[in-house]
Amino acid sequence: MCGIWALFGSDECLSVQCVNAMKIAHRGPDAFRFENVNGFTSCCFGFHRLAIVDQLYGMQPLRIKKFPYLWLCYNGEIYNHHRLKKQFDFDYQTRVDGEILLHLYDRFGIEKMAALLDGVFSFILLDTANRVICLGRDTYGVRPMFKLLTENGFLAVCSEAKGLINITHSMSSPAEITPFPPGHIQVFNLKLSGKVESVKLERFHSCKDEPKHAEYDNIEKLPKGFDLETVKNNIRILFENAVRKRLMAHRRIGCLLSGGLDSSLVAATLLKLAQEDDLKYPVQTFAIGTDDSPDIHAARTVANYIGSEHHEVLFTPEEGIQAVDEVIFHLETYDITTVRASVGMYLVSKYIRDKTDSVVIFSGEGSDELTQGYIYFHKAPSPKAAADDSLRLLEELYLFDALRADRTTAAHGLELRVPFLDHRFTAYYLSLPEEMRVPKNGVEKHLLRAAFQDTKLLPDEILWRRKEAFSDGLSSTKKSWFSILQEHVESKVNDLELEKAAVKFPHNPPKTKEGYFYRQIFEKHYPGRADWLSHYWMPRWIAASDPSARTLSIYQPEKNPE
């Protein structure tokens, strides 16, 4: 996890522009480098480093003697870099996982390079010999990247939009800042002036496709067919492999643990593999909530069962409310459910950074989207409709849960790892018959739960625990976190303001005082940038006026499986 920043064709003084690179310093607290590109006086790179793999050679832009004309700035982890190095007999100069990008690009070109990467990443690759710039981002947008491109060919790229909003350029109107689309690469020609011209923007991988790197995987050929026992066995194999490959780190590994199914499966598998690999330290797990939160109690049950070094982080409603402003600043969004859920994750990340030495943090993000875990899936009109919506949610992750997970942890210099979004695991799960993936017997994620039944990985009470949204489960069932927030903003926004919200905020006008309150904070930090969010996250197929599961008529947290 790092912060990357680059300019190509700047009309302004680079020493003035580079101040903007410091806006993302939180992403890489270990070191910083700012470097001009030889021969291109208007081009430069900025890099903030969090050292996870190869403490010695990990500074960027990464350049090696074999390819002196290639400059690489990337943020992410490439889990199959050793395997690809061996497969293609590449001669490495460093132990940095990102070096594999240089060799793959030289051997195969940009499209195949991106497709062979098993990991999460965003990258800026400059080829001065051929005067080409390549940008790329992983399938689900786990790692962020934004670009600013002016009409006259000035290109600026940054991990977070905040590093671009004050970039100066010669255009009279503000240039659009857009999130780089996940699963895509873009190629630009670099002119002698340093300005660029876009040549192509294309998708190299989509959620449902078996990834090209599977050809070089270490998993033996999985049994084919869709009988239940085969499917459950394949799910276990692929999920365990997804966790195992993410153990790559020289820094201490920990895990977020809400006590829900997803984070509990990740934590239990992580502890199992850590024991098998004889990890030299106990794995820490972290739960956050108010003192009467159901998540705190469930997480304690899991931690006792799996034997982790468990930390409980309690926060008061006042502390949560106080964090909202800085949370929205880091998120760069005003989506209601994202803001609600981010407060707890932001506060637990702050605790991890301040009170422990865990830096690489595992989490359960992506499971709800992949395995139809949201309660509203019970109301899907058909298995096909449910499958289509699952795919939509996965493709929009970079706007919501993946964004939340990255920004709240990156704000405190932590690196997040999300096994449920492993390419092979997601491609396999999405290939299963639609009927197998829907809620069953009144329980969402039934197939995933059933796959781990009788493995003794988790106690049954956790394996079959009903869904609680993270922003709900961290607070009491008597008084939800969203209710606390709504009470707080009641006096902050008056009825007349809300009535005229659509005039003041024509794009995504807020319909509640809570939404209006978040929008005001967002506009304070990022005026006129509301279009970064295309739409609000909301449940489907059910009359819902609020994104919280606890407001839905079908919410029954105490109901046990039939």
Side-chain angles (χ1 to χ4, degrees):
M1 203 285 299
C2 301
I4 60 175
W5 183 89
L7 302 182
F8 301 97
S10 175
D11 295 323
E12 305 291 338
C13 172
L14 290 181
S15 59
V16 173
Q17 301 276 47
C18 77
V19 173
N20 292 284
M22 302 315 292
K23 298 277 185 68
I24 57 162
H26 50 273
R27 297 190 69 89
D30 293 335
F32 170 68
R33 177 183 284 172
F34 182 77
E35 192 166 346
N36 291 339
V37 178
N38 306 341
F40 292 90
T41 55
S42 62
C43 303
C44 61
F45 286 92
F47 177 69
H48 296 274
R49 184 179 185 219
L50 178 66
I52 301 293
V53 177
D54 193 344
Q55 306 276 28
L56 186 60
Y57 292 104
M59 276 308 285
Q60 297 181 33
L62 181 63
R63 302 176 71 200
I64 58 176
K65 286 178 185 172
K66 189 170 184 182
F67 311 118
Y69 49 87
L70 295 183
W71 301 58
L72 173 68
C73 246
Y74 80 102
N75 166 209
E77 306 80 46
I78 312 302
Y79 304 122
N80 62 342
H81 70 110
H82 285 307
R83 186 160 291 277
L84 293 175
K85 173 189 173 186
K86 187 176 176 183
Q87 175 71 36
F88 299 115
D89 195 28
F90 291 142
D91 180 20
Y92 262 36
Q93 185 177 315
T94 74
R95 293 194 298 273
V96 179
D97 56 326
E99 185 179 337
I100 192 69
L101 276 75
L102 302 177
H103 294 274
L104 290 173
Y105 172 79
D106 176 71
R107 180 83 57 94
F108 301 116
I110 187 64
E111 294 91 343
K112 190 170 180 182
M113 179 203 96
L116 286 175
L117 299 176
D118 181 7
V120 292
F121 53 84
S122 54
F123 65 78
I124 308 160
L125 178 64
L126 168 63
D127 176 350
T128 56
N130 295 294
R131 296 218 309 273
V132 164
I133 298 161
C134 303
L135 306 181
R137 190 177 181 191
D138 67 75
T139 307
Y140 296 105
V142 173
R143 291 291 173 262
M145 186 162 70
F146 287 79
K147 68 174 181 182
L148 176 156
L149 181 62
T150 68
E151 291 164 358
N152 66 348
F154 167 47
L155 173 67
V157 185
C158 188
S159 292
E160 298 180 16
K162 58 180 64 66
L164 300 177
I165 56 172
N166 293 320
I167 293 283
T168 52
H169 51 86
S170 55
M171 278 175 58
S172 53
S173 57
E176 196 180 1
I177 296 169
T178 55
F180 192 83
H184 283 70
I185 51 124
Q186 185 165 13
V187 179
F188 299 87
N189 283 335
L190 178 64
K191 300 174 183 177
L192 289 171
S193 64
K195 294 284 197 291
V196 306
E197 179 184 23
S198 182
V199 178
K200 65 179 171 184
L201 172 65
E202 63 183 40
R203 184 185 283 275
F204 66 84
H205 183 236
S206 58
C207 314
K208 293 174 78 171
D209 298 337
E210 176 84 332
K212 286 190 171 59
H213 55 70
E215 191 181 331
Y216 310 107
D217 211 323
N218 60 347
I219 302 177
E220 291 179 25
K221 216 164 182 63
L222 294 172
K224 294 204 180 305
F226 296 127
D227 67 278
L228 188 57
E229 288 311 310
T230 297
V231 167
K232 291 196 297 187
N233 188 55
N234 288 347
I235 286 172
R236 288 194 298 271
I237 289 169
L238 287 169
F239 183 69
E240 185 169 303
N241 183 64
V243 176
R244 179 181 282 110
K245 70 177 73 165
R246 285 165 174 77
L247 291 170
M248 175 185 89
H250 292 158
R251 304 288 287 272
R252 185 168 183 165
I253 291 170
C255 188
L256 299 181
L257 179 59
S258 71
L261 174 69
D262 310 326
S263 65
S264 299
L265 277 176
V266 172
T269 306
L270 177 58
L271 265 291
K272 173 178 176 272
L273 296 177
Q275 202 169 14
E276 289 174 10
D277 289 3
D278 195 25
L279 211 62
K280 302 300 180 201
Y281 53 81
V283 173
Q284 296 175 325
T285 50
F286 304 94
I288 185 163
T290 56
D291 55 8
D292 53 354
S293 119
D295 278 3
I296 287 283
H297 296 290
R300 192 181 302 157
T301 301
V302 176
N304 289 339
Y305 186 86
I306 64 177
S308 62
E309 183 190 297
H310 192 53
H311 296 245
E312 292 181 357
V313 183
L314 299 179
F315 77 99
T316 64
E318 291 73 27
E319 288 169 326
I321 287 165
Q322 198 174 354
V324 168
D325 191 296
E326 56 195 81
V327 164
I328 291 173
F329 169 74
H330 280 287
L331 289 178
E332 303 174 336
T333 188
Y334 50 91
D335 177 64
I336 295 164
T337 192
T338 304
V339 174
R340 288 175 182 173
S342 294
V343 171
M345 203 160 178
Y346 182 83
L347 292 174
V348 75
S349 298
K350 185 176 190 306
Y351 172 91
I352 295 168
R353 185 70 191 180
D354 292 346
K355 306 290 186 186
T356 79
D357 58 348
S358 286
V359 177
V360 176
I361 306 298
F362 279 65
S363 183
E365 263 71 36
S367 175
D368 284 322
E369 291 77 7
L370 175 67
T371 65
Q372 303 182 19
Y374 294 113
I375 290 175
Y376 75 79
F377 274 96
H378 289 287
K379 291 293 185 182
S382 68
K384 183 179 188 315
D388 289 347
D389 204 55
S390 174
L391 194 60
R392 175 189 69 85
L393 289 170
L394 286 166
E395 289 175 345
E396 291 180 356
L397 263 171
Y398 76 106
L399 293 171
F400 301 109
D401 277 16
L403 181 150
R404 164 180 56 79
D406 173 81
R407 302 302 200 288
T408 54
T409 49
H412 302 289
L414 305 178
E415 175 170 297
L416 195 79
R417 297 204 172 163
V418 283
F420 276 108
L421 292 176
D422 182 78
H423 300 156
R424 286 210 65 184
F425 183 73
T426 56
Y428 177 75
Y429 208 96
L430 292 171
S431 75
L432 299 173
E434 293 162 353
E435 297 75 19
M436 289 189 90
R437 293 184 271 149
V438 296
K440 187 179 172 187
N441 300 337
V443 181
E444 62 284 340
K445 293 189 272 204
H446 194 281
L447 177 61
L448 181 64
R449 299 173 197 271
F452 290 93
Q453 181 81 55
D454 304 323
T455 62
K456 294 190 165 47
L457 197 64
L458 289 171
D460 276 1
E461 66 189 278
I462 298 296
L463 189 62
W464 295 96
R465 184 187 175 207
R466 292 298 303 275
K467 168 72 182 168
E468 277 271 29
F470 179 51
S471 58
D472 291 336
L474 55 74
S475 56
S476 164
T477 48
K478 297 190 194 90
K479 190 165 193 179
S480 293
W481 170 230
F482 75 87
S483 301
I484 293 165
L485 285 164
Q486 287 169 349
E487 282 182 12
H488 170 72
V489 304
E490 183 61 36
S491 62
K492 305 287 183 186
V493 179
N494 65 49
D495 295 339
L496 186 62
E497 285 177 312
L498 186 59
E499 201 177 299
K500 295 184 174 179
V503 177
K504 187 172 184 180
F505 305 121
H507 179 78
N508 284 338
K511 293 182 168 58
T512 64
K513 290 187 176 182
E514 183 189 7
Y516 193 101
F517 181 69
Y518 298 157
R519 184 62 169 273
Q520 281 184 312
I521 296 171
F522 175 85
E523 292 288 344
K524 177 182 74 174
H525 294 300
Y526 307 109
R529 303 291 183 178
D531 58 353
W532 289 345
L533 179 67
S534 55
H535 61 283
Y536 292 106
W537 192 100
M538 284 293 280
R540 300 213 158 177
W541 309 308
I542 189 166
S545 56
D546 188 281
S548 168
R550 286 187 180 178
T551 65
L552 302 182
S553 58
I554 54 173
Y555 173 71
Q556 294 174 303
E558 73 290 344
K559 183 177 176 182
N560 291 317
E562 294 164 20

